[in-house]
Amino acid sequence: MTDRLLTAAWVVWTALRAEQRGMRTRPTVVVVSVVQPVALLAVVAGTRSLTPDRTSVVVSAVVLTAMWSATVWTAGGVLRRERSYGTLARSVTSQFSPSLVLFGRSLGATLYSVACILASSAAVIVLLRLRVAVPHPLWLLAALLVVLASGTALGMLLSCLFLVTRHGLAWSSALIYPVFILGGLLIPPDALPEWLRWVPALLSLHWVHEFVVGLSSGAVRATPLAVAVALTMAYLVAAVGCLRAAVDAGRRRGTLELV
Amino acid sequence: MSGPAVEVTGVGRVFGRGRDQVVALRDVTFQVAEGQILGILGSNGAGKTTLTKILATLLEPSTGTARVFGHDVRRELRAVRRLTGVVFGGDRGFYGALSGRENLRYFAMLAGVGRRAIRAKVDDALADVGLAEAARRPVETYSKGMRQRLHIALGLVAEPRLLLLDEPTVGLDPVEAERLRGTVARLRSTGVSILLTSHYLLDIERLADRVLILSRGTVTMDTTAGEFARSAGFAATVTVRGRGPTPQRFDALGATAEDVEEQGGVWTVRLRVPEWGGGTFERLSAALAGLEVLAVDVAPVRLEDVYATVMGRLSADEPTGTRAP
């Protein structure tokens, strides 16, 4: 049992490292994980004077917005890239569950993106001398872990969906801005038409943002974080089912290209 | 283990539906014994890759059964994958930004190489294909031949009992191609069974114990390499050049003249000799007696000749109407 767990951990670790090594040379990573948060923070910081608690909310929104872009373009593109590299068949028909391999790669992409986003955001905060309130650092850390898990699971799900549609690149572009707006990351959800206000509830990042907004005012409200965790689990279950269905369909239809 | 390494029974594969339906394989049946090399020949679209994909568990057969060391490719995927290595050539199939070693290490892990053994096996596989020195370079800087060698290392790294090789020498220079043939021959001597698909008939000629010809998804010939070579109907081509009246008959040799050419009083005649044995040279001398012979060239039958003859015969016999993918 221990050996199986160690082997599973090794598979995840190896897949994670392989994905991260591949990301070092990908320009998209710089655009979504460095340029985007830096630009958004610089614009917001320059247009109005911010109180520390308001800055926390802004930083949270910027980080989560960049996180969504990164999820779509990096973790969400794992299987699409596998197909273009000609490595898809080997990755999903190995000795291990394809979900385990995809989990490792998606986690690798998410960790890399989050690290870049946090580093670039921190650099802007220091350079612009923004004052940020962090009243509950441990809860903030918990929120960050949920963001990591959520980005990984959402990346896996998007990756599978993009694989099934075969038009992943077009869907990647199409999904970015609607979620920025409908997810309540760039504008408050109550600014949306009433009939669209259910959409943010489906996005885990929206609930993490709600949680951070509460934290910045000194209140620890566990419900939004719990909802984010529940949504993350739902994404994960859906991704595993979707990947299994996609691989089975690929074997039936002959669409798992080997090279 | 007793029983064949590969057992394919009545396998068919259809792509699409209705009027777009394409029959890629139809009632394919054959076996590969353990330690045997089966060469698969066939023109483009004959179903070779479809068959290889089925055995590699990448594609389900529409009908029939295929087993690898007794494991069903439809139901026992993991067992089949554990026993099978696949080498598909081409420029793709790797992460370009990663080094050769990183790629190999990752795919070796996926192929089930244990974490304690992986370093040694990756190093061995890289050395086997002559990539040890370039192992740290990103694959995107590799030449076509180097990528092909990495594909081969990838197929060998998990030490499979069945190796599926699809055009393994494409992109390799003659020295490398010969080196690969040596590797394949060495694998056979260790008991590895090999399914070899190649357009280079030299690969088949040098390595295969048996030859299977696929034509429009159907097995049209399944025979030993020796029988296949004999199926051309001749054993050697004799080219004779001489002066004087052009000879028309070579009865002593039992051969008929083909491709008779005459230029400036010098004639060239090509003869296809049905058998080549101990008395053939004597019969050849008798057939040429009395002629002013300038040169004689004897070339044993090549697999290219056999293949061209067999395929020509098949295309003349085959009905049309089945589209290949």
Side-chain angles (χ1 to χ4, degrees):
Chain A
M1 184 64 185
T2 313
D3 197 53
R4 284 182 65 181
L5 278 175
L6 279 174
T7 302
W10 180 61
V11 170
V12 170
W13 174 250
T14 311
L16 179 156
R17 294 294 295 147
E19 182 63 27
Q20 291 191 334
R21 286 191 186 106
M23 287 180 80
R24 289 178 305 198
T25 54
R26 224 172 281 151
T28 317
V29 178
V30 179
V31 173
V32 297
S33 304
V34 179
V35 175
Q36 189 171 339
V38 167
L40 286 173
L41 270 179
V43 167
V44 175
T47 52
R48 54 199 291 192
S49 59
L50 294 167
T51 58
D53 58 333
R54 191 66 201 151
T55 307
S56 301
V57 173
V58 167
V59 169
S60 162
V62 165
V63 166
L64 293 172
T65 301
M67 185 64 209
W68 170 247
S69 297
T71 301
V72 170
W73 287 112
T74 59
V78 165
L79 293 180
R80 181 169 51 76
R81 283 193 297 277
E82 296 275 355
R83 175 169 271 159
S84 71
Y85 297 154
T87 50
L88 177 65
R90 285 198 196 277
S91 293
V92 299
T93 61
S94 74
Q95 283 295 304
F96 305 99
S97 159
S99 301
L100 194 65
V101 178
L102 179 60
F103 176 76
R105 298 198 75 99
S106 193
L107 180 61
T110 307
L111 270 171
Y112 197 94
S113 302
V114 167
C116 289
I117 292 167
L118 289 180
S120 52
S121 300
V124 174
I125 289 167
V126 171
L127 281 172
L128 299 181
R129 295 177 187 168
L130 299 174
R131 289 169 57 219
V132 182
V134 187
H136 300 282
L138 283 179
W139 279 106
L140 196 64
L141 186 66
L144 189 63
L145 290 176
V146 173
V147 167
L148 269 176
S150 212
T152 304
L154 202 53
M156 287 174 71
L157 181 58
L158 289 175
S159 209
C160 298
L161 294 175
F162 294 164
L163 182 71
V164 173
T165 63
R166 276 190 157 251
H167 300 289
L169 210 56
W171 276 104
S172 299
S173 310
L175 273 175
I176 291 284
Y177 290 99
V179 172
F180 279 171
I181 296 163
L182 298 176
L185 297 175
L186 286 185
I187 59 168
D190 52 15
L192 294 171
E194 205 160 322
W195 60 275
L196 272 176
R197 284 184 195 167
W198 58 273
V199 175
L202 298 177
L203 194 69
S204 58
L205 299 183
H206 159 76
W207 291 103
V208 174
H209 185 57
E210 285 284 304
F211 178 74
V212 174
V213 169
L215 276 189
S216 65
S217 60
V220 177
R221 289 179 305 196
T223 307
L225 203 59
V227 175
V229 170
L231 280 170
T232 299
M233 295 303 289
Y235 298 154
L236 196 64
V237 170
V240 170
C242 187
L243 183 59
R244 192 175 299 158
V247 173
D248 287 348
R251 290 189 65 238
R252 278 196 307 275
R253 295 179 195 144
T255 51
L256 288 179
E257 295 97 338
L258 195 68
V259 289
Chain B
M1 178 183 273
S2 59
V6 177
E7 190 175 13
V8 175
T9 311
V11 162
R13 176 66 214 199
V14 175
F15 291 100
R17 290 179 184 180
R19 290 199 304 177
D20 294 331
Q21 195 175 75
V22 173
V23 180
L25 290 176
R26 191 196 304 268
D27 196 24
V28 171
T29 299
F30 68 91
Q31 290 189 352
V32 182
E34 196 163 357
Q36 195 175 55
I37 299 184
L38 174 70
I40 301 183
L41 295 171
S43 48
N44 291 336
K48 302 187 298 293
T49 301
T50 301
L51 182 61
T52 312
K53 279 186 173 180
I54 286 173
L55 291 172
T57 74
L58 297 176
L59 187 64
E60 284 189 354
S62 305
T63 55
T65 57
R67 293 178 177 277
V68 172
F69 292 102
H71 299 288
D72 191 324
V73 298
R74 206 193 296 251
R75 294 185 193 88
E76 298 167 89
L77 306 180
R78 210 161 279 187
V80 173
R81 289 170 192 161
R82 194 177 57 242
L83 296 165
T84 309
V86 191
V87 176
F88 279 65
D91 288 342
R92 295 166 71 236
F94 300 109
Y95 304 108
L98 269 60
S99 71
R101 177 175 273 114
E102 285 168 338
N103 267 285
L104 200 53
R105 188 181 162 82
Y106 177 66
F107 288 117
M109 178 272 288
L110 291 183
V113 177
R115 56 184 187 279
R116 291 183 190 91
I118 201 161
R119 182 187 291 262
K121 288 197 176 182
V122 164
D123 286 345
D124 286 350
L126 286 167
D128 270 353
V129 297
L131 284 177
E133 283 182 20
R136 288 172 181 273
R137 275 171 47 192
V139 168
E140 62 198 4
T141 67
Y142 279 20
S143 67
K144 193 175 178 181
M146 290 168 82
R147 284 171 195 236
Q148 186 66 9
R149 281 189 271 157
L150 193 57
H151 273 296
I152 291 155
L154 211 152
L156 300 179
V157 72
E159 295 175 352
R161 291 179 59 196
L162 170 69
L163 194 58
L164 306 173
L165 295 170
D166 191 31
E167 306 288 349
T169 53
V170 169
L172 297 185
D173 61 42
V175 174
E176 286 300 337
E178 194 53 36
R179 182 178 177 156
L180 171 73
R181 289 183 201 109
T183 305
V184 173
R186 203 166 59 244
L187 283 171
R188 173 176 46 189
S189 69
T190 62
V192 175
S193 313
I194 296 168
L195 221 91
L196 170 65
T197 305
S198 181
H199 279 114
Y200 292 140
L201 291 169
L202 185 62
D203 295 342
I204 305 283
E205 192 166 19
R206 294 283 297 279
L207 298 168
D209 302 304
R210 278 179 44 230
V211 176
L212 185 131
I213 294 189
L214 275 178
S215 178
R216 302 188 187 201
T218 309
V219 176
T220 50
M221 184 177 273
D222 180 359
T223 183
T224 63
E227 279 296 323
F228 178 66
R230 280 191 286 278
S231 63
F234 64 98
T237 304
V238 177
T239 307
V240 185
R241 212 150 59 87
R243 247 193 226 114
T246 309
Q248 297 301 322
R249 297 176 65 84
F250 293 87
D251 293 337
L253 208 54
T256 49
E258 290 180 23
D259 301 333
V260 180
E261 290 170 20
E262 210 172 336
Q263 200 172 20
V266 175
W267 50 262
T268 306
V269 175
R270 282 184 194 85
L271 306 168
R272 283 188 166 179
V273 182
E275 282 179 23
W276 197 268
T280 312
F281 274 110
E282 285 78 7
R283 289 201 299 277
L284 179 61
S285 297
L288 301 179
L291 301 173
E292 191 185 343
V293 176
L294 298 173
V296 177
D297 178 57
V298 179
V301 65
R302 294 174 311 152
L303 217 55
E304 275 93 339
D305 302 325
V306 184
Y307 184 65
T309 308
V310 171
M311 292 312 286
R313 215 180 287 152
L314 289 174
S315 60
D317 294 347
E318 272 174 1
T320 52
T322 307
R323 284 197 292 138

